[in-house]
Amino acid sequence: MIDFIQLGPKPPTSNGMFAPFRYREIGGDVLLTNMLGDWVFVTKDEFLAMAKGEVGEGSPLYEKLAERNFIRDKIDVAKAAERFAYKKRFLNYGPNLHAFVVTLRCNETCVYCHAARADMNQVETDMTPEIAEKAVDLALQTTSPGVTIEFQGGEPLVNFEVVKHIVRYAQQRNRAYGKQLEFTMVTNLALMDKDKLKFLLDNKVQICTSIDGPEALHNKQRILAGGSSYQEAVKWIRRINKEYEKLGLDPVLYHVEALLTLTRALLPYPKEVVDTYVELGCRAIFIRPVDPFGWAERAGKIVEYPRSEYLKFYQTATDYILELNKQGVQVLERYAAIFLTKILTDDDPNFLDVRSPGGAGIGQLAYAYDGKIFTSDEGRMLYAMGDATFQIGDVRTSTYRDLMMHPTVRAMTLASNLNAQ
């Protein structure tokens, strides 16, 4: 470990020679990164020399640091500004992601459900075609050149007629806007059939589902009355991926995405979870902790755990993923890919949850089945728990300008601007 006692009273970045950077010990050396996406490894002795102000101008270490924009006076400011603007180009656009909660009804009961699901007979929680059209009209007014409509629930296949109506209506209305229009659906797949699949394939609706590890664990967490939620999901994952291949679609872009929700029951099985995804042909795994919303809060005593346990699981699973890649098995962990892209490249994946400023309101909007509009789907979940802070409008009365100028949106944008803190 670095002996920080040797650094003296000043922090490592106090010397005016250096531009701001972050650092971490990795593999015996020290990794330095900066806000532009430049990075460099230095030895511990070199790092201590930096901290003590003992890096001589023109020395090999000085030149190595200057080449990667860690020496303040050697930075091309105009070029750096151009690179930083490229990283933040998403700020030129309005909301790209528009979540349509077409129903609260769901045919599965999940121990960690955070979507405030309704029973299958509660048809009053279905979005109507009229509300759907008003939501589409608002979504297409975004200043973003691309619009992704994401169907959520509950289980969106329950209200498939409205899903079809939204797709057709959005395509027709988009002729006047010329947006790059895309559709995605988050579904448990248990209500899929050949007719629904044909419509989704014909309209290139990308599909995302949930796989919570090996079959026994998955079925314990995601309960399907009278059947196996795991078998239903796996059957359709394989069939849909084969259909994509038949259509000649790029498998990198077109394949069923599967998400993992990590509950307490899964904590002892990091490698088994990864192996399940690999066996299904999934190219990526997104290791997410339980969200403390909706039903998940009520079931906290069953599914929750200290976040330190999540980090242990994450580290073990990710190390295993790295080993599999060394053996020629192509699979990645999405959080790692997102953060590495942000830290070590000129690009930003624009993952709304961890960008600066955050994506709620200015990067995404969520439209509930009853027409209420929220800054994000999480905002909708909090509303279901009695907190209306993040409701910013209604499709029947709000204009696009009302939404973007809403005090909550403005406050969230300011609060999540990490570059200003």
Side-chain angles (χ1 to χ4, degrees):
M1 297 291 291
I2 299 171
D3 183 359
F4 286 102
I5 295 176
Q6 297 182 53
L7 301 182
K10 296 181 180 180
T13 56
S14 64
N15 192 312
M17 175 184 292
F18 306 116
F21 63 86
R22 295 182 175 90
Y23 59 93
R24 177 171 294 182
E25 184 178 345
I26 297 179
D29 289 324
V30 182
L31 172 66
L32 312 181
T33 67
N34 63 27
M35 64 193 301
L36 298 176
D38 295 316
W39 55 273
V40 65
F41 278 99
V42 298
T43 67
K44 291 180 184 178
D45 288 341
E46 290 173 331
F47 185 71
L48 292 172
M50 292 173 62
K52 294 177 179 180
E54 297 175 352
V55 178
E57 186 171 349
S59 67
L61 177 57
Y62 180 95
E63 295 301 329
K64 179 167 72 170
L65 295 171
E67 184 182 356
R68 297 298 183 92
N69 290 306
F70 287 93
I71 302 296
R72 188 185 299 271
D73 292 341
K74 295 295 183 178
I75 295 176
D76 184 330
V77 176
K79 187 174 181 180
E82 184 178 306
R83 291 176 62 192
F84 191 69
Y86 179 77
K87 262 185 177 284
K88 297 292 185 180
R89 63 192 183 282
F90 52 77
L91 293 176
N92 294 326
Y93 309 136
N96 164 264
L97 178 62
H98 298 263
F100 281 53
V101 181
V102 295
T103 184
L104 294 186
R105 293 191 289 156
C106 188
N107 59 317
E108 289 187 2
T109 304
C110 301
V111 296
Y112 52 74
C113 181
H114 54 254
R117 69 176 289 280
D119 291 334
M120 288 292 283
N121 61 353
Q122 293 181 257
V123 295
E124 69 275 11
T125 67
D126 286 357
M127 181 179 281
T128 65
E130 294 74 23
I131 287 177
E133 289 182 5
K134 292 182 182 298
V136 169
D137 290 340
L138 275 173
L140 289 175
Q141 291 178 47
T142 178
T143 50
S144 172
V147 170
T148 297
I149 292 177
E150 181 175 279
F151 299 109
Q152 295 189 7
E155 170 50 55
L157 292 179
V158 170
N159 194 12
F160 196 66
E161 286 304 311
V162 165
V163 169
K164 292 194 295 184
H165 183 71
I166 290 170
V167 170
R168 290 166 175 156
Y169 182 77
Q171 290 170 337
Q172 182 268 321
R173 291 286 289 143
N174 190 46
R175 293 172 189 158
Y177 292 93
K179 304 287 187 183
Q180 181 180 336
L181 183 61
E182 297 180 352
F183 302 96
T184 64
M185 176 181 284
V186 181
T187 169
N188 60 41
L189 292 172
L191 293 174
M192 186 67 75
D193 59 40
K194 64 179 182 180
D195 292 331
K196 292 187 181 79
L197 180 57
K198 183 178 188 308
F199 178 86
L200 296 173
L201 291 173
D202 288 347
N203 291 278
K204 294 186 178 179
V205 179
Q206 298 194 56
I207 295 170
C208 178
T209 191
S210 294
I211 293 292
D212 288 345
E215 183 171 1
L217 289 168
H218 179 98
N219 285 339
K220 186 177 180 180
Q221 298 202 151
R222 304 181 63 87
I223 301 165
L224 176 64
S228 166
S229 59
Y230 181 87
Q231 289 296 334
E232 288 296 319
V234 167
K235 174 181 72 177
W236 287 105
I237 287 172
R238 288 178 170 150
R239 177 165 175 180
I240 294 167
N241 284 338
K242 285 181 180 178
E243 292 295 330
Y244 286 150
E245 290 179 19
K246 290 180 184 177
L247 292 170
L249 297 173
D250 184 351
V252 175
L253 298 176
Y254 284 91
H255 58 272
V256 178
E257 290 279 2
L259 299 178
L260 168 74
T261 300
L262 182 61
T263 63
R264 188 189 305 168
L266 293 178
L267 288 174
Y269 306 105
K271 292 185 178 181
E272 291 84 351
V273 167
V274 173
D275 285 338
T276 300
Y277 274 71
V278 171
E279 194 273 330
L280 288 173
C282 297
R283 294 172 175 266
I285 179 171
F286 209 147
I287 303 174
R288 308 177 302 160
V290 172
D291 283 330
F293 304 121
W295 287 21
E297 185 193 40
R298 304 176 210 170
K301 292 181 180 179
I302 301 172
V303 302
E304 263 289 8
Y305 42 81
R307 283 303 179 258
S308 59
E309 295 300 310
Y310 164 75
L311 293 176
K312 288 179 184 176
F313 180 99
Y314 182 89
Q315 182 171 348
T316 302
T318 305
D319 285 345
Y320 183 51
I321 286 170
L322 292 173
E323 284 301 317
L324 290 176
N325 277 274
K326 291 177 182 177
Q327 298 168 24
V329 179
Q330 185 180 2
V331 60
L332 62 82
E333 200 290 311
R334 286 216 177 275
Y335 265 136
I338 289 166
F339 282 114
L340 286 171
T341 302
K342 290 169 71 72
I343 294 169
L344 302 177
T345 79
D346 278 4
D347 210 348
D348 190 303
N350 194 23
F351 182 61
L352 300 175
D353 294 6
V354 294
R355 78 179 204 185
S356 172
I362 61 172
Q364 66 175 310
L365 293 170
Y367 308 83
Y369 73 94
D370 58 359
K372 293 183 176 66
I373 306 170
F374 299 89
T375 56
S376 64
D377 198 41
E378 289 79 7
R380 175 185 69 88
M381 296 171 196
L382 287 170
Y383 180 86
M385 297 167 64
D387 184 348
T389 302
F390 303 102
Q391 184 197 346
I392 59 173
D394 190 291
V395 298
R396 287 159 290 221
T397 57
S398 300
T399 66
Y400 178 73
R401 182 176 178 82
D402 291 338
L403 302 176
M404 293 301 99
M405 298 298 291
H406 195 280
T408 296
V409 173
R410 294 163 67 94
M412 293 180 73
T413 303
L414 289 170
S416 62
N417 183 4
L418 304 182
N419 301 103
Q421 293 183 16

